């Protein structure tokens, strides 16, 4: 069979943050770059993300008196990774994150909310969210910049295989240009040759819950996901066929702050992640008691909920919502979050013992007044007694969210086969596995996509 051939310098597989950032960087070097995206629209999981980026030692932190350091950021990521992440990769990310964040503001002109958020496992607030509270703006701006620099994107084009020469150097890809997700379209194959190399930026596989369960049976088969269902391991598996090494594939992050009362991660997820995690409490409906430090990292909190084996209740009061500055109109009108004027009505709505619930809340409030918490929660300005009705409640259960493991790469993003780079093969973003170990801290994936995307773009363009 003969195929049409197309020649470029660099092929990028996947048009999410990682792929588009590396493509823009290549194009800045004057390198001819082609991005292949299997879906009809670009963006992957990046476009449905909150767009939150973590970075230490920024102007925004300085303005509100937050004392942070790159060392503290590194410590937080290593602690959360439980020894399974590569210290060298973590250092690179933490050192470069502030510059990458600044790049999105000045070079890509992404506007951000004037607030600095904290998520579980970070010692201090260091997370910045675009005004759209979504990854959409950054994706749009990356696309505009790439095209203005002469880079090209083809959608509906799934890479099915890697091409090698006789010296085991990657020289291109085989792509199905008639790909439609979950349809039986007859494939139309094309060979795309690349003189400088191929960058795999195909994202994670948390959208394929069956595969997650296969790799880690502790993930229930029926668990829901925050990901697009197209987020799968197909491209990772192609690389594995050519002896690309992988690491930590069983480290699948379940985000604890999601609700079974909406699909994916939307306004309910934001309510859990931004308000309950920092200012609220979690109650086990079976006992009416708290069971975890709500400020714990995602893995700590999700593991505790999974141990219980059923949904729990996330509760905040009106002061927490006002302080967070969040508009709850949508979640309330959809019945995802419910409001109650007193504890007894709340208890009866969820068939809880009113007496036990009131006792739990009274104990919690008392502990905050005495500046100690039985779960060692840090009592900062966000954590206040729950005394101002209405009380807002959401049912909470984890969903698969992020795959911490993936391809083994060196600090230049070269894919390794037993410690040797596979010539001209690079990887970046969630498909890689060096950065987060046992658990990714909130907002650190986008920092990784940006930092490593720029690194890989520089390396492939200049080698
Ligand atoms: C709901 C949600 C909210 C999130 N919020 C945040 C946040 O605020 N901060 C943060 O740091 N992280 C967040 N994350 C995680 C973060 O968004 C992702 O880890 C990150 O965007 C992954 O970027 P990526 O470029 O590696 O992959 P993706 O954005 O998933 O892009 C990969 C692309 O590759 C394409 N592709 C795959 N295989 C092929 C193939 N064979 N051929 C061609 N194309 C292919 C896919 O279709 C996809 O478009 C969130 C995730 C979700 C799901």
């Amino acid at each position: 069979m003969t195929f049409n051939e197309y020649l470029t310098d660099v092929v990028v597989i996947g048009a999410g943050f990682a792929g588009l950032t590396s493509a823009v960087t290549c194009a800045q070097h004057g390198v001819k770059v082609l991005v292949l995206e299997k879906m009809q629209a670009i963006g992957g999981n990046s476009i449905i993300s909150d767009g939150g980026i973590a970075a230490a030692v920024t102007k925004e932190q300085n303005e509100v008196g937050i004392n942070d350091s790159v060392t503290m950021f590194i410590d937080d990521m290593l602690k959360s990774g439980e020894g399974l992440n590569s210290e060298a990769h973590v250092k690179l990310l933490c050192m470069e994150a502030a510059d990458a964040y600044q790049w999105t503001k000045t070079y890509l002109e992404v506007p951000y909310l004037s607030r600095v958020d904290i998520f579980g496992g970070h010692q201090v607030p260091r997370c910045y969210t675009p005004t759209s509270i979504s990854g959409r703006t950054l994706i749009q701006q990356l696309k505009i910049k790439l095209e203005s620099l002469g880079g090209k994107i083809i959608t509906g084009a799934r890479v099915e295989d890697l091409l090698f020469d006789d010296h085991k150097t990657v020289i291109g890809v085989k792509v199905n240009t008639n790909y439609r997700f979950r349809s039986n379209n007859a494939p139309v194959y094309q060979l795309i040759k690349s003189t400088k190399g191929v960058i795999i930026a195909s994202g994670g596989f948390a959208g394929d819950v069956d595969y997650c369960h296969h790799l880690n049976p502790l993930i229930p088969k029926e668990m829901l996901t925050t990901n697009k269902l197209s987020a799968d391991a197909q491209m990772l598996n192609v690389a594995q066929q050519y002896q690309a090494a992988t690491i930590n594939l069983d480290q699948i992050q379940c985000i604890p702050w999601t609700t079974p009362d909406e699909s994916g991660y939307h306004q309910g997820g934001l309510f859990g992640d931004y308000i309950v995690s920092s200012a609220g409490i979690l109650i086990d409906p079976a006992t009416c008691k708290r069971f975890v430090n709500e400020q714990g990292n995602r893995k700590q909190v999700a593991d505790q909920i999974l141990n219980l084996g059923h949904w729990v209740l996330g509760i905040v009061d009106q002061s927490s919502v006002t302080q967070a500055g969040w508009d709850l109109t949508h979640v309330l009108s959809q019945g995802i979050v419910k409001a109650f004027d007193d504890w007894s009505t709340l208890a009866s709505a969820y068939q809880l013992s009113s007496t036990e619930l009131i006792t739990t809340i009274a104990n919690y409030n008392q502990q905050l007044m005495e500046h100690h918490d039985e779960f060692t929660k840090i009592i900062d300005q966000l954590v206040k007694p729950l005394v101002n009705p209405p009380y807002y409640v959401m049912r909470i259960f984890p969903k698969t969210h992020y795959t911490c493991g993936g391809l083994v790469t060196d600090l230049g993003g070269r894919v390794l086969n037993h410690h040797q780079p596979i010539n001209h093969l690079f990887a970046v973003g969630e498909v890689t596995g060096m950065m987060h170990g046992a658990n990714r801290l909130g907002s650190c994936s986008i920092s990784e996509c940006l930092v490593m995307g720029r690194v890989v773009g520089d390396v492939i363009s200049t080698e």
Side-chain angles (χ1 to χ4, degrees):
M1 191 182 280
T2 55
F3 301 111
N4 288 330
E5 283 195 16
Y6 178 94
L7 184 65
T8 186
D9 291 331
V10 173
V11 169
V12 177
I13 305 170
F17 290 144
L20 291 177
T21 300
S22 33
V24 166
T25 309
C26 289
Q28 284 181 299
H29 283 280
V31 161
K32 189 175 174 194
V33 59
L34 174 66
V35 181
L36 299 171
E37 168 54 53
K38 70 179 178 182
M39 304 304 281
Q40 293 298 298
I42 65 166
N45 274 330
S46 300
I47 206 164
I48 60 165
S49 75
D50 306 337
I53 296 178
V57 194
T58 61
K59 181 166 79 57
E60 288 80 354
Q61 287 179 313
N62 201 22
E63 279 166 5
V64 288
I66 297 164
N67 285 321
D68 198 5
S69 70
V70 169
T71 310
M72 283 163 69
F73 192 8
I74 294 169
D75 288 347
D76 291 349
M77 282 193 64
L78 291 177
K79 186 172 170 202
S80 170
E82 297 178 11
L84 296 181
N85 35 6
S86 149
E87 191 167 339
H89 285 74
V90 169
K91 281 184 176 160
L92 178 60
L93 182 150
C94 295
M95 284 190 305
E96 296 300 324
D99 194 50
Y101 165 54
Q102 186 62 33
W103 184 73
T104 68
K105 289 195 297 178
T106 49
Y107 185 65
L108 299 173
E109 299 174 57
V110 174
Y112 286 84
L113 298 171
S114 58
R115 52 191 284 160
V116 189
D117 284 302
I118 183 164
F119 296 110
H122 289 279
Q123 293 177 63
V124 293
R126 58 165 80 99
C127 308
Y128 317 89
T129 306
T131 51
S132 58
I133 316 175
S134 138
R136 183 167 297 279
T137 328
L138 183 52
I139 287 290
Q140 278 166 351
Q141 296 301 94
L142 283 164
K143 176 177 185 284
I144 289 170
K145 195 57 89 175
L146 178 63
E147 290 176 342
S148 76
L149 292 165
K152 239 184 119 177
I153 304 173
I154 301 179
T155 55
R158 186 168 90 152
V159 173
E160 305 282 347
D161 207 354
L162 297 169
L163 308 176
F164 289 81
D165 67 10
D166 295 343
H167 306 286
K168 298 190 176 163
T169 294
V170 172
I171 52 162
V173 297
K174 175 179 164 189
V175 57
N176 171 8
T177 55
N178 197 32
Y179 179 76
R180 298 289 178 278
F181 183 58
R182 292 194 169 163
S183 103
N184 293 326
N185 275 10
V188 175
Y189 291 116
Q190 192 170 348
L191 302 186
I192 309 224
K193 298 282 182 69
S194 56
T195 54
K196 284 184 164 292
V198 170
I199 302 174
I200 302 176
S202 52
F205 54 84
D208 185 348
V209 178
D210 276 351
Y211 193 60
C212 293
H213 171 78
H214 164 75
L215 292 169
N216 182 346
L218 294 175
I219 309 272
K221 265 188 178 164
E222 60 283 0
M223 188 177 259
L224 301 173
T225 183
T226 63
N227 280 211
K228 287 187 173 172
L229 299 180
S230 51
D232 63 24
Q234 172 262 343
M235 196 58 226
L236 175 82
N237 296 154
V238 169
Q240 283 178 297
Q241 282 169 28
Y242 296 102
Q243 277 68 54
T246 57
I247 186 166
N248 296 336
L249 289 186
D250 60 336
Q251 300 300 318
I252 292 152
Q253 177 175 76
C254 300
I255 191 164
W257 301 110
T258 42
T259 178
D261 295 321
E262 72 176 2
S263 66
Y265 174 105
H266 297 286
Q267 298 292 316
L270 290 174
F271 173 79
D273 215 358
Y274 280 80
I275 310 181
V276 181
S277 75
S278 53
I281 57 169
L282 291 173
I283 296 279
D284 175 2
T287 60
C288 283
K289 291 192 171 26
R290 286 173 66 217
F291 56 93
V292 70
N293 176 356
E294 294 83 358
Q295 294 168 333
N297 70 40
R298 288 173 173 174
K299 181 169 166 50
Q300 291 161 341
V301 179
D303 283 354
Q304 290 300 322
I305 300 175
L306 290 174
N307 278 344
L308 296 176
H310 52 250
W311 53 263
V312 300
L313 293 172
I315 305 178
V316 297
D317 73 354
Q318 180 61 50
S319 303
S320 325
V321 174
T322 308
Q323 182 171 252
W326 237 234
D327 179 4
L328 298 187
T329 314
H330 174 77
V331 275
L332 288 168
S333 70
Q334 297 293 304
I336 295 166
V337 173
K338 295 186 166 44
F340 299 93
D341 287 331
D342 57 70
W343 296 114
S344 303
T345 326
L346 189 164
S348 79
Y350 293 96
Q351 293 162 357
L352 312 177
S353 152
S354 175
T355 321
E356 284 176 28
L357 178 66
I358 289 168
T359 306
T360 295
I361 303 290
N363 283 345
Y364 174 70
N365 289 345
Q366 183 64 32
Q367 287 180 23
L368 295 195
M369 306 290 280
E370 292 166 2
H371 289 278
H372 93 96
D373 174 66
E374 61 189 301
F375 294 100
T376 64
K377 190 164 177 163
I378 297 165
I379 301 162
D380 57 19
Q381 76 274 18
L382 295 175
V383 179
K384 302 211 174 92
L386 300 174
V387 288
N388 292 302
Y391 304 111
Y392 297 98
V393 186
M394 185 174 81
R395 296 197 313 145
I396 285 182
F397 195 73
K399 298 182 181 177
T400 62
H401 185 58
Y402 183 86
T403 44
C404 298
L407 295 171
V408 174
T409 53
D410 68 10
L411 290 176
R414 298 173 194 84
V415 175
L416 303 187
N417 157 10
H418 304 300
H419 307 295
Q420 286 299 319
I422 298 176
N423 280 341
H424 284 194
L425 186 62
F426 295 77
V428 64
E430 194 174 333
V431 72
T432 64
M434 309 303 285
M435 201 63 84
H436 306 286
N439 179 51
R440 171 176 75 79
L441 290 181
S443 296
C444 288
S445 170
I446 299 180
S447 314
E448 177 188 6
C449 291
L450 292 166
V451 168
M452 296 309 296
R454 294 171 79 198
V455 166
V456 168
D458 283 339
V459 171
I460 199 169
S461 301
T462 52
E463 262 186 0

